Amino acid sequence: MYKVAVIGAAGFTGAEAVRLLLAHPVFSLSAISSNNDADKPLASVYPYFAGRTELSFCSHEAVLDNAGRHYDLVFLAVPHTAAMKIAPPLLKQGVSIVDLSADFRLHEPAVYESWYGLSHTAPELLAKAVYGLPEVFRSALQEQAALRAAGQEAVLVANPGCYPTASVLAALPVIEAGFADSESTIVINAISGVSGAGKTPSETTHFCTANENLNAYGATTHRHTPEIAQTLSGLAKRKVAVQFTPHLAPLSRGMVSTVAIPLSKDASQTATAEGMQQLYEKRYAEEPFVQVLPAQTMPKSSSVAYGNHAQVGVAYDSSTNMVVASCAIDNLGKGAAAQAVQCANILFGLDETAGLAL
Amino acid sequence: MYKVAVIGAAGFTGAEAVRLLLAHPVFSLSAISSNNDADKPLASVYPYFAGRTELSFCSHEAVLDNAGRHYDLVFLAVPHTAAMKIAPPLLKQGVSIVDLSADFRLHEPAVYESWYGLSHTAPELLAKAVYGLPEVFRSALQEQAALRAAGQEAVLVANPGCYPTASVLAALPVIEAGFADSESTIVINAISGVSGAGKTPSETTHFCTANENLNAYGATTHRHTPEIAQTLSGLAKRKVAVQFTPHLAPLSRGMVSTVAIPLSKDASQTATAEGMQQLYEKRYAEEPFVQVLPAQTMPKSSSVAYGNHAQVGVAYDSSTNMVVASCAIDNLGKGAAAQAVQCANILFGLDETAGLAL
Amino acid sequence: MYKVAVIGAAGFTGAEAVRLLLAHPVFSLSAISSNNDADKPLASVYPYFAGRTELSFCSHEAVLDNAGRHYDLVFLAVPHTAAMKIAPPLLKQGVSIVDLSADFRLHEPAVYESWYGLSHTAPELLAKAVYGLPEVFRSALQEQAALRAAGQEAVLVANPGCYPTASVLAALPVIEAGFADSESTIVINAISGVSGAGKTPSETTHFCTANENLNAYGATTHRHTPEIAQTLSGLAKRKVAVQFTPHLAPLSRGMVSTVAIPLSKDASQTATAEGMQQLYEKRYAEEPFVQVLPAQTMPKSSSVAYGNHAQVGVAYDSSTNMVVASCAIDNLGKGAAAQAVQCANILFGLDETAGLAL
Amino acid sequence: MYKVAVIGAAGFTGAEAVRLLLAHPVFSLSAISSNNDADKPLASVYPYFAGRTELSFCSHEAVLDNAGRHYDLVFLAVPHTAAMKIAPPLLKQGVSIVDLSADFRLHEPAVYESWYGLSHTAPELLAKAVYGLPEVFRSALQEQAALRAAGQEAVLVANPGCYPTASVLAALPVIEAGFADSESTIVINAISGVSGAGKTPSETTHFCTANENLNAYGATTHRHTPEIAQTLSGLAKRKVAVQFTPHLAPLSRGMVSTVAIPLSKDASQTATAEGMQQLYEKRYAEEPFVQVLPAQTMPKSSSVAYGNHAQVGVAYDSSTNMVVASCAIDNLGKGAAAQAVQCANILFGLDETAGLAL
């Protein structure tokens, strides 16, 4: 058993991490913190937990104090800017971190500053952090696991954003195969449930605003854009341009990201719908959490609700020479807390599906 | 007062037309037909109408019989293939038609056949029919109105599909201005409420399927694709390629279409976000049913629910040289029945907003 | 044309009143106030109004100042306690009021104090105010209309709460007929959409709290209890005991109230399901806004959404000697703003359905 | 490991049983049947199961054939009338059954016939079947477990209906304590999500019917009425009269039942809110799946979604001398499949919470 804590456990992603960790066969959840709800029983904030756990919130400080003695791993579920302050002292105490905020996802401090509007206070950790999308960076994560196991150092995983997870999984096989036209922009449209907007009540999250409503938001300006571009560029080994537009729809949990990828002229010579289907099936054949749906089938977010699974559908349009692929995930699951557990499983040398299979 | 009938009034779009026509100041609704519900009171099928009207359904045949004596105008809200059989005898009797089906929207019989999988049985009417998107084809509609008023002939309007309405209104100003890159494909992603799937119960429309769910469908194959391409090509005066992907979301009524338009190199020399905002505002300044939202604001489908209004937001991304614009409509309102009333208002020389303003 | 203003127009009920008044054939809406949103265009707060009106909010003070010169009627849509401060100066200036708050609904100051927890500051107006449920108090409203028309005084209508409207309409025919057992308590369970909780964002109104959720609240303590009891007691000419439990369900607008009424032994001698059906049909035969559904049919809130209609279904259970009746309304419509317009129509001698028929 | 099968696994309750059994530590799910979907992979009907299981449906017949050799336990999730035909041959082969249909819930064949409108074809099993509400009938279930373990016979559990589960758990402590007035009717109003209406598409389950809608249905005639009355009468050791009215609300899963129980004059002498709170807390203190919420708190169905937990809130109204209590469950979980697993755990001598705790 490894002892773990969740810092920032009262938000939606933190509480989801708690839910998963309470059922985990190896990680033992021994502390959950929330500065706003310190000393309250978890069940008083989330009645779901009544009868399932006696855990109460403590303050962040209470976790950080002597963390090295008490925890092997901390899940950070605090907002960005808070994470980059908490991570360095934890690492120094030898506590590994899976950070669910955006603070360690972008490699370049300058990119972080230009999209988040402030200076990074722990830029040296940007190089150290591994981006926690196992379907792309499994070996890097396993290297960290080896370092950790060898007792050499505490490790830091930057858990991906929800939109980047779904978008990258939809585009990955085509990009990796080098089929995308290098001169064209990949257009990504995604739709999220309202839990993505967080727990704080606002006009946006008011039921009467969100219900029976659809809208785009953050067009051309959403902060997940550089994160998607960074990963796809890495896969393509060149700069990939991305036009990302997220939308809000009236559901609590669920996300679909649909990518339209213009193929190169070369690729168009041989591209077929069947070929793309096979490309996707082959690429994901060994992935425990990614299912490629049968040809002509696009995934439903409801099929992956509350879990770590991603489902992907792919189509090819010969008249436009574009691949259209769509990926469905649970934005709080594979898009946040469940993927964090998946990363933690890898970091600690466990079966990658521990606590996540069903 | 003009006497009107709705053929196919028991479906969602037909019933919405009935709702609007009952409150219309000039059109007098005197017959509604449904072969399945013939002889039933409207209020027994839609309890909404209890206490509001005593109308009962008759059969389609009962409307068609001597239609020329009884009606000035018929709204056809039957499925495609049924409309192309009903329209010719009505027109021969001198009854004008606003057809809400897809049967008369595409100009080329061959295109119809390739997307709908069957031969058009009234191909000669494809040339005669005017596409009822007033924001683009107002003068053509007014010409028909003049013909009708002169007593020369009954006229036929092909009311646009819901996705094409929202998609064209989002893209129109850029395309019309000639800013779009002629080598690139316009990527359109749209989201619809479930009423778009029609009234017949199915697995897709089951509450437990649709609720808490998002999914793409019909990627590369949706029949609204050629309709969008036809209108945009007309506006651009060249062939416009469109990659259209619709999605389903858990709401009853509402639609958002978001278009990503790669600009030409020429256009990129001068393109700015402000310029695009002004372009849209200017283009729609005189349109009674299209509002351009303030800069940085994307429209909500809830703001246009139950009406004939369309709201549009536009953004420009200098890093990709793309315009991203989003249009929200009510899929049964501006996307179907309300737009049909708008067209009818024009055809009969009425104030275009009659019965639709508030 | 009469000139009207809405004070407190930025809340859900105020905005709904604005929507209805903008389409009203006789009332001319010339001012809307909100202290929080003063000087903002209505359309910037509710984009629905874009392209429909140019009205902007002013402060409450701006309406109150010289109100007597500018307005014939004011709709008060401010919270309780605010209304009892604003009403007296308005009445003094000769401006009639339809108050949508709870401040003038209860006849007894002591009852108000015991349920609302504070002293009434205008107790003299409690006797003057007429309870605006036209189906019960139409003649009293008409008397006020006569007083107003004679120029004798400004009048004050206390618009009923949403739950009392639905509950009283469900129970009315049985109570009025004297069939209810005087020793037994009437059990009322109601369900409301989330708009009933108001526009202020809170944990309760967060989409992720309300969606996919049902719960009772305010059991034994909801403030609409004495209001229901007061009206039913008046109808029964004796004290009627009521056990009222409201519930919240995941919809924006809509309310159902289901009443279970134990009949007296006397009544049970002759009670039948058919007899109850006839009793209800007869009682509501002349009511323009109440429809009794066919036997065995319970009403749907969706059938009355956005309007002033109430639909009622009734059943009789001979094994328990109880009448079960259910009434559906729109909580913001017949349950608030639309009923306020209905009352205003009566007060000004208009057709009671003006602006509300379709 | 015990080998189990689910007959009727393609419906909502059957599929939920499958979901739970796949994660169960002791029961090994080796067959699932559906006559309509025979030979289809489960994942093709419910994409949720993609990547989680390779199970395919077989026919009911394939399970029944030599069932005694292959299965220790069968979950019957077929409609009523089908279950009473399948159960006898299974029992004869020595296979124990948890039946999720209504066929074996009522003790009296005459009551079954009067509410279900047909003769029971296996009336001798009505006496043998144990009603599977562990919170009431745990010792009877344990006796069956002992019989089964002794190899003496296959046992039959009649899994309760969803409304009876929630309603009985809400009323139980008061009834059991003998506080209810014997002359008065208990009024029960319940609200269910749409999954309770089953998987077959219909007008009722159409998204556009159910969404943004509330309605009562089956007032005075719902078939769960005698089931509730039977259990409460057993607890009270006298005939208990029940007025039960269910309602439909726009959510997929979730149920709340609110009971209003008139107390006897005797009970009223000492009844207090605190006393009732303590009564409920004490009664359920040892129950692993029932939580009594703090005073003044009514339960939310979302807190118990997807699980076997029931949450209960209770209030006492001294002015009416009534207890109002509300219970929230997941209608497919504690209201059906999860409770069936709980019963099966008892029948096979396992920890009652096996596979259900988190």
Side-chain angles (χ1 to χ4, degrees):
Chain A
M1 298 292 279
Y2 296 102
K3 290 176 100 175
V4 305
V6 177
I7 294 183
F12 286 157
T13 52
E16 181 67 3
V18 170
R19 187 179 75 84
L20 294 165
L21 291 167
L22 285 173
H24 197 281
V26 179
F27 294 126
S28 169
L29 181 63
S30 44
I32 60 173
S33 79
S34 161
N35 283 343
N36 285 334
D37 292 312
D39 299 328
K40 288 191 200 164
L42 175 58
S44 74
V45 178
Y46 290 100
Y48 165 82
F49 290 104
R52 304 182 199 247
T53 177
E54 301 295 320
L55 276 176
S56 286
F57 292 108
C58 61
S59 67
H60 298 347
E61 199 52 40
V63 177
L64 294 174
D65 199 36
N66 274 321
R69 270 203 254 157
H70 298 304
Y71 311 109
D72 300 292
L73 172 66
V74 162
F75 292 86
L76 272 187
V78 294
H80 73 273
T81 74
M84 61 187 175
K85 288 182 193 99
I86 294 177
L90 276 177
L91 292 171
K92 259 182 218 150
Q93 295 185 67
V95 180
S96 292
I97 297 173
V98 177
D99 174 31
L100 290 95
S101 88
D103 275 353
F104 300 105
R105 293 177 190 158
L106 297 171
H107 303 333
E108 300 295 332
V111 176
Y112 183 90
E113 291 184 34
S114 89
W115 285 87
Y116 287 85
L118 41 85
S119 294
H120 205 289
T121 60
E124 71 287 357
L125 291 179
L126 293 182
K128 173 186 172 62
V130 175
Y131 190 75
L133 188 63
E135 289 77 9
V136 179
F137 299 103
R138 184 173 286 112
S139 22
L141 290 163
Q142 288 169 335
E143 282 168 28
Q144 298 296 303
L147 282 177
R148 201 205 56 77
Q152 293 184 300
E153 55 179 317
V155 294
L156 169 61
V157 169
N159 204 56
C162 48
Y163 288 123
T165 296
S167 303
V168 170
L169 291 176
L172 191 163
V174 175
I175 303 298
E176 207 175 54
F179 291 167
D181 181 43
S182 62
E183 301 297 307
S184 298
T185 296
I186 294 173
V187 178
I188 303 179
N189 281 262
I191 319 171
S192 175
V194 183
S195 59
K199 195 193 173 195
T200 308
S202 69
E203 198 199 327
T204 298
T205 62
H206 194 298
F207 185 87
C208 298
T209 307
N211 186 43
E212 278 293 289
N213 182 49
L214 297 167
N215 63 272
Y217 68 98
T220 78
T221 63
H222 195 281
R223 288 164 170 176
H224 284 176
T225 306
E227 192 180 330
I228 300 169
Q230 172 180 284
T231 305
L232 294 186
S233 297
L235 287 165
K237 304 192 175 66
R238 60 171 174 85
K239 189 175 182 312
V240 169
V242 164
Q243 189 69 57
F244 172 61
T245 311
H247 299 72
L248 196 65
L251 68 167
S252 291
R253 293 173 67 148
M255 170 169 289
V256 159
S257 184
T258 299
V259 303
I261 308 172
L263 300 194
S264 67
K265 279 193 185 153
D266 265 15
S268 76
Q269 304 303 315
T270 55
T272 62
E274 296 71 28
M276 289 301 158
Q277 179 73 20
Q278 286 164 14
L279 176 72
Y280 274 66
E281 288 180 359
K282 193 170 166 195
R283 176 57 178 83
Y284 289 127
E286 304 300 317
E287 284 299 336
F289 291 114
V290 185
Q291 285 80 47
V292 178
L293 297 186
Q296 316 281 3
T297 314
M298 288 293 160
K300 295 176 175 175
S301 70
S302 58
S303 299
V304 294
Y306 293 90
N308 194 48
H309 287 75
Q311 297 193 353
V312 178
V314 61
Y316 171 68
D317 193 331
S318 61
S319 75
T320 58
N321 195 31
M322 276 192 173
V323 165
V324 177
S326 187
C327 175
I329 61 170
D330 182 311
N331 56 308
L332 298 181
K334 178 67 175 170
Q339 182 151 265
V341 172
Q342 183 184 3
C343 287
N345 286 342
I346 298 174
L347 283 187
F348 283 74
L350 313 179
D351 179 343
E352 198 169 321
T353 67
L356 297 169
L358 277 160
Chain B
M1 299 291 280
Y2 296 102
K3 289 175 100 175
V4 305
V6 176
I7 294 182
F12 286 159
T13 53
E16 181 67 3
V18 169
R19 189 179 74 86
L20 293 166
L21 291 167
L22 285 174
H24 197 280
V26 179
F27 294 126
S28 168
L29 180 62
S30 43
I32 59 174
S33 79
S34 162
N35 283 344
N36 285 334
D37 292 313
D39 299 329
K40 288 191 199 164
L42 175 58
S44 74
V45 178
Y46 290 100
Y48 165 82
F49 290 104
R52 304 182 199 248
T53 177
E54 301 295 320
L55 275 176
S56 286
F57 292 108
C58 60
S59 68
H60 297 348
E61 199 52 41
V63 176
L64 294 174
D65 200 37
N66 274 321
R69 270 203 253 157
H70 299 303
Y71 313 108
D72 299 292
L73 172 66
V74 162
F75 292 86
L76 273 186
V78 293
H80 74 274
T81 75
M84 62 188 174
K85 290 183 191 99
I86 294 177
L90 275 177
L91 292 171
K92 259 181 218 151
Q93 295 185 67
V95 180
S96 291
I97 298 173
V98 177
D99 175 31
L100 290 96
S101 88
D103 275 353
F104 300 105
R105 293 175 190 160
L106 297 172
H107 302 333
E108 300 295 332
V111 176
Y112 184 90
E113 290 184 33
S114 89
W115 284 86
Y116 288 84
L118 42 85
S119 294
H120 205 289
T121 60
E124 71 287 358
L125 291 181
L126 293 183
K128 174 186 169 66
V130 175
Y131 191 75
L133 188 63
E135 289 77 8
V136 178
F137 299 104
R138 184 172 286 110
S139 22
L141 291 163
Q142 287 169 337
E143 283 169 26
Q144 297 296 303
L147 283 177
R148 202 206 55 79
Q152 292 183 303
E153 53 178 320
V155 294
L156 170 61
V157 169
N159 205 57
C162 48
Y163 288 122
T165 296
S167 302
V168 170
L169 291 177
L172 191 163
V174 174
I175 304 298
E176 207 175 55
F179 291 167
D181 180 43
S182 62
E183 301 297 305
S184 297
T185 296
I186 295 173
V187 177
I188 304 179
N189 281 263
I191 319 170
S192 175
V194 183
S195 59
K199 195 194 173 194
T200 307
S202 69
E203 198 198 328
T204 299
T205 62
H206 194 298
F207 185 86
C208 298
T209 308
N211 186 42
E212 280 292 289
N213 182 48
L214 298 167
N215 64 273
Y217 68 99
T220 78
T221 64
H222 195 282
R223 287 164 169 177
H224 284 176
T225 306
E227 193 181 328
I228 299 169
Q230 172 181 283
T231 304
L232 294 186
S233 296
L235 286 165
K237 301 190 175 70
R238 60 169 175 87
K239 189 172 182 313
V240 169
V242 163
Q243 190 69 57
F244 172 62
T245 311
H247 299 72
L248 196 65
L251 69 167
S252 291
R253 294 173 66 147
M255 170 170 288
V256 158
S257 185
T258 299
V259 302
I261 309 173
L263 300 194
S264 68
K265 280 194 184 152
D266 264 17
S268 76
Q269 304 304 313
T270 55
T272 61
E274 298 70 29
M276 289 300 157
Q277 180 73 21
Q278 286 165 16
L279 177 73
Y280 273 66
E281 287 180 359
K282 193 170 166 196
R283 176 57 180 83
Y284 289 128
E286 304 300 318
E287 285 298 336
F289 292 113
V290 185
Q291 284 81 48
V292 178
L293 297 187
Q296 315 280 6
T297 315
M298 289 293 160
K300 294 177 176 175
S301 70
S302 59
S303 299
V304 294
Y306 294 88
N308 193 50
H309 287 74
Q311 296 193 352
V312 179
V314 61
Y316 171 68
D317 192 332
S318 60
S319 74
T320 58
N321 195 31
M322 277 191 173
V323 164
V324 177
S326 187
C327 175
I329 61 171
D330 182 311
N331 57 307
L332 298 181
K334 179 66 175 172
Q339 182 149 267
V341 171
Q342 183 184 3
C343 288
N345 286 342
I346 298 174
L347 283 187
F348 284 76
L350 313 179
D351 178 342
E352 200 169 319
T353 68
L356 296 170
L358 277 161
Chain C
M1 298 292 279
Y2 296 102
K3 289 174 101 175
V4 305
V6 177
I7 294 182
F12 286 159
T13 53
E16 181 67 3
V18 170
R19 189 179 73 86
L20 293 166
L21 290 167
L22 285 173
H24 197 281
V26 179
F27 294 126
S28 169
L29 180 63
S30 42
I32 60 174
S33 80
S34 161
N35 282 345
N36 285 335
D37 293 312
D39 299 328
K40 287 191 199 164
L42 175 58
S44 73
V45 178
Y46 289 100
Y48 165 82
F49 289 105
R52 305 182 199 248
T53 177
E54 301 295 319
L55 276 176
S56 285
F57 292 108
C58 61
S59 68
H60 298 347
E61 199 52 41
V63 176
L64 294 174
D65 199 38
N66 275 320
R69 269 204 253 158
H70 299 304
Y71 312 108
D72 299 292
L73 171 67
V74 162
F75 292 86
L76 273 187
V78 293
H80 75 273
T81 74
M84 63 187 175
K85 289 184 192 99
I86 294 177
L90 276 178
L91 292 171
K92 260 184 216 148
Q93 295 184 66
V95 180
S96 292
I97 298 172
V98 177
D99 174 32
L100 290 96
S101 88
D103 275 353
F104 301 104
R105 294 176 190 160
L106 297 171
H107 303 332
E108 300 296 332
V111 176
Y112 183 91
E113 290 184 34
S114 90
W115 285 85
Y116 287 84
L118 42 85
S119 295
H120 205 288
T121 60
E124 70 288 357
L125 290 180
L126 292 182
K128 173 187 169 65
V130 174
Y131 190 76
L133 188 63
E135 290 76 10
V136 179
F137 299 104
R138 185 172 285 112
S139 23
L141 290 164
Q142 288 168 336
E143 282 169 27
Q144 297 296 304
L147 283 177
R148 201 206 56 78
Q152 292 183 303
E153 54 178 320
V155 294
L156 170 61
V157 169
N159 205 57
C162 49
Y163 288 123
T165 296
S167 303
V168 170
L169 291 176
L172 191 164
V174 175
I175 303 298
E176 207 175 54
F179 290 167
D181 180 43
S182 62
E183 301 297 306
S184 298
T185 295
I186 294 173
V187 177
I188 304 179
N189 281 262
I191 319 170
S192 175
V194 183
S195 59
K199 194 193 173 194
T200 307
S202 69
E203 197 198 328
T204 298
T205 62
H206 194 298
F207 185 86
C208 298
T209 308
N211 185 42
E212 279 292 289
N213 182 49
L214 298 167
N215 63 273
Y217 68 99
T220 79
T221 63
H222 195 281
R223 289 164 169 175
H224 284 177
T225 307
E227 193 180 329
I228 300 170
Q230 173 180 283
T231 304
L232 294 186
S233 297
L235 286 165
K237 303 190 175 69
R238 60 169 176 86
K239 190 175 180 312
V240 169
V242 163
Q243 188 70 56
F244 172 62
T245 311
H247 300 71
L248 197 65
L251 69 167
S252 291
R253 293 174 67 148
M255 170 169 287
V256 159
S257 186
T258 299
V259 303
I261 309 172
L263 299 195
S264 67
K265 280 194 185 153
D266 265 17
S268 76
Q269 303 304 313
T270 54
T272 61
E274 298 71 29
M276 288 302 157
Q277 179 73 21
Q278 286 165 16
L279 176 73
Y280 273 67
E281 287 181 359
K282 193 170 165 196
R283 176 56 178 83
Y284 288 128
E286 303 301 316
E287 285 298 337
F289 291 114
V290 185
Q291 284 80 48
V292 178
L293 297 187
Q296 316 281 6
T297 315
M298 289 293 161
K300 294 177 174 172
S301 70
S302 59
S303 299
V304 294
Y306 293 90
N308 194 48
H309 290 258
Q311 297 192 353
V312 179
V314 61
Y316 171 68
D317 192 332
S318 60
S319 73
T320 58
N321 195 30
M322 277 193 173
V323 164
V324 176
S326 187
C327 175
I329 61 171
D330 182 311
N331 56 308
L332 297 181
K334 178 68 175 171
Q339 182 151 265
V341 171
Q342 184 184 2
C343 288
N345 286 342
I346 298 174
L347 283 188
F348 283 76
L350 312 179
D351 179 343
E352 199 169 320
T353 67
L356 297 169
L358 275 159
Chain D
M1 299 293 280
Y2 296 102
K3 288 175 100 176
V4 305
V6 177
I7 294 182
F12 286 159
T13 53
E16 181 67 3
V18 171
R19 189 179 74 86
L20 294 165
L21 291 167
L22 285 174
H24 197 281
V26 179
F27 294 127
S28 169
L29 181 62
S30 44
I32 60 174
S33 80
S34 160
N35 283 344
N36 285 333
D37 293 312
D39 300 329
K40 286 190 200 166
L42 174 58
S44 74
V45 178
Y46 289 100
Y48 165 81
F49 290 104
R52 303 183 200 246
T53 177
E54 300 296 319
L55 276 175
S56 286
F57 292 107
C58 61
S59 67
H60 297 348
E61 200 51 41
V63 176
L64 294 174
D65 200 37
N66 273 321
R69 269 201 254 158
H70 299 304
Y71 312 108
D72 299 292
L73 172 66
V74 161
F75 292 86
L76 272 187
V78 293
H80 75 273
T81 75
M84 61 188 174
K85 288 183 193 100
I86 294 177
L90 276 178
L91 292 170
K92 259 182 219 151
Q93 295 185 66
V95 181
S96 292
I97 297 172
V98 177
D99 174 31
L100 290 96
S101 88
D103 275 351
F104 299 105
R105 294 176 189 158
L106 297 171
H107 303 332
E108 300 295 333
V111 176
Y112 183 90
E113 291 184 33
S114 90
W115 284 86
Y116 287 84
L118 42 85
S119 294
H120 205 288
T121 60
E124 71 286 358
L125 291 180
L126 293 182
K128 173 186 170 65
V130 174
Y131 191 76
L133 188 63
E135 290 77 9
V136 179
F137 299 103
R138 183 172 287 111
S139 22
L141 290 164
Q142 288 168 336
E143 282 170 27
Q144 297 296 304
L147 283 178
R148 201 204 57 78
Q152 292 184 301
E153 53 178 319
V155 295
L156 170 61
V157 169
N159 204 57
C162 49
Y163 288 123
T165 297
S167 303
V168 169
L169 291 177
L172 191 162
V174 175
I175 303 298
E176 208 174 53
F179 291 167
D181 181 43
S182 62
E183 301 297 306
S184 297
T185 296
I186 293 173
V187 178
I188 303 178
N189 282 263
I191 318 172
S192 174
V194 183
S195 59
K199 195 193 173 195
T200 308
S202 69
E203 198 198 328
T204 298
T205 61
H206 194 298
F207 185 87
C208 299
T209 307
N211 185 42
E212 278 292 289
N213 182 49
L214 298 167
N215 63 272
Y217 69 99
T220 79
T221 64
H222 195 281
R223 288 164 169 176
H224 284 176
T225 306
E227 193 180 329
I228 300 169
Q230 171 180 284
T231 305
L232 294 186
S233 297
L235 286 165
K237 302 191 176 66
R238 60 169 176 86
K239 190 176 180 313
V240 169
V242 163
Q243 189 69 58
F244 172 61
T245 310
H247 299 72
L248 196 66
L251 68 167
S252 291
R253 294 173 66 148
M255 169 169 290
V256 159
S257 186
T258 299
V259 303
I261 308 173
L263 300 195
S264 67
K265 279 193 185 154
D266 264 16
S268 76
Q269 303 304 313
T270 55
T272 62
E274 297 70 27
M276 289 300 157
Q277 179 73 19
Q278 286 165 15
L279 176 73
Y280 274 67
E281 288 180 359
K282 193 170 166 196
R283 176 57 179 83
Y284 288 127
E286 304 301 317
E287 285 298 337
F289 291 114
V290 185
Q291 284 80 48
V292 178
L293 298 187
Q296 316 280 4
T297 314
M298 289 293 161
K300 294 177 176 175
S301 70
S302 59
S303 300
V304 293
Y306 293 88
N308 193 49
H309 290 258
Q311 297 193 352
V312 178
V314 61
Y316 171 68
D317 193 333
S318 61
S319 74
T320 59
N321 195 30
M322 276 192 174
V323 164
V324 177
S326 188
C327 175
I329 61 171
D330 182 309
N331 55 308
L332 298 181
K334 179 67 174 171
Q339 181 150 267
V341 172
Q342 183 184 2
C343 288
N345 286 343
I346 299 174
L347 282 188
F348 282 76
L350 313 179
D351 179 342
E352 199 169 320
T353 67
L356 297 170
L358 277 160

